[in-house]
């Protein structure tokens, strides 16, 4: 059982704001709001994707907010997506910097004529955050795909 520690109202507000950034990312993805999703990142952000979490070599390694546009636009190939954000842990939190990890089950539906398919991906994000102008943003986001399941939908 974890020990409960008192935190300041400022730290509580920062922790909530960071969680809201993580949740806004999923919300924007499901609403196909690429501009909103990109706005959650610093201009010089670092975004790394590991399609196989066990492979140390990234599938994608991007170094700016603008470079995220085609990645987020790629979600348009799905007829629907639903990202369920699970546990979100903050490892470190200083005045304007934080690190954490978030889990997500991402559901992607494709329709081809009468055929409907569902792809579910178990995602883990290792995040670095920075507080700029009073707002928390992703400074770095590492996306790890732990597993994928694909199946037909009725």
């Amino acid at each position: 059982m974890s020990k409960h520690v008192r935190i300041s109202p400022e730290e509580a507000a920062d922790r909530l704001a960071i969680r809201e950034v993580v949740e806004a990312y999923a919300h924007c993805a499901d609403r196909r709001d690429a501009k909103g999703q990109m706005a959650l990142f610093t201009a010089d952000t670092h975004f790394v994707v590991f399609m196989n979490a066990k492979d140390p070599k990234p599938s994608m390694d991007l170094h700016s907010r603008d470079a995220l546009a085609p990645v987020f636009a790629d979600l348009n190939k799905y007829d629907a997506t639903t990202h369920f954000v699970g546990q979100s842990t903050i490892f470190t939190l200083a005045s304007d910097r934080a690190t954490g990890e978030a889990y997500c089950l991402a559901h992607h539906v494709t329709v081809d004529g009468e055929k409907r398919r569902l792809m579910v991906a178990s995602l883990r994000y290792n995040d670095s955050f920075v507080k700029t102008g009073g707002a928390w943003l992703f400074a770095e986001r590492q996306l790890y795909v732990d597993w994928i399941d694909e199946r037909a939908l009725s």
Side-chain angles (χ1 to χ4, degrees), residues 22-116:
V22 170
E23 291 173 352
Y25 177 91
H27 175 81
C28 289
D30 291 338
R31 298 294 169 263
R32 303 302 185 272
D33 180 4
K35 287 183 182 177
Q37 205 170 9
M38 290 169 61
L40 301 170
F41 291 82
T42 60
D44 63 346
T45 198
H46 187 209
F47 189 83
V48 187
V49 177
F50 298 86
M51 287 304 292
N52 176 356
K54 294 177 182 171
D55 186 351
K57 185 173 187 262
S59 312
M60 190 180 305
D61 192 351
L62 307 172
H63 293 274
S64 73
R65 178 191 297 145
D66 292 337
L68 299 175
V71 175
F72 299 152
D74 193 48
L75 287 172
N76 291 318
K77 69 184 177 187
Y78 299 105
D79 288 274
T81 60
T82 303
H83 291 74
F84 287 107
V85 178
Q87 69 267 31
S88 176
T89 305
I90 295 175
F91 296 130
T92 63
L93 176 60
S95 61
D96 65 349
R97 299 242 174 231
T99 61
E101 180 179 57
Y103 282 70
C104 177
L105 285 178
H107 299 70
H108 302 79
V109 176
T110 55
V111 178
D112 183 13
E114 294 290 317
K115 291 183 180 180
R116 293 173 8 118

Side-chain angles (χ1 to χ4, degrees), residues 49-54 59 77-78 104-108 117-124 143-151:
V49 177
F50 298 86
M51 287 304 292
N52 176 356
K54 294 177 182 171
S59 312
K77 69 184 177 187
Y78 299 105
C104 177
L105 285 178
H107 299 70
H108 302 79
R117 298 208 43 85
L118 172 66
M119 184 268 282
V120 179
S122 176
L123 309 177
R124 244 178 330 112
L143 185 165
Y144 293 88
V145 180
D146 285 322
W147 55 262
I148 292 176
D149 181 34
E150 295 187 56
R151 56 185 167 247

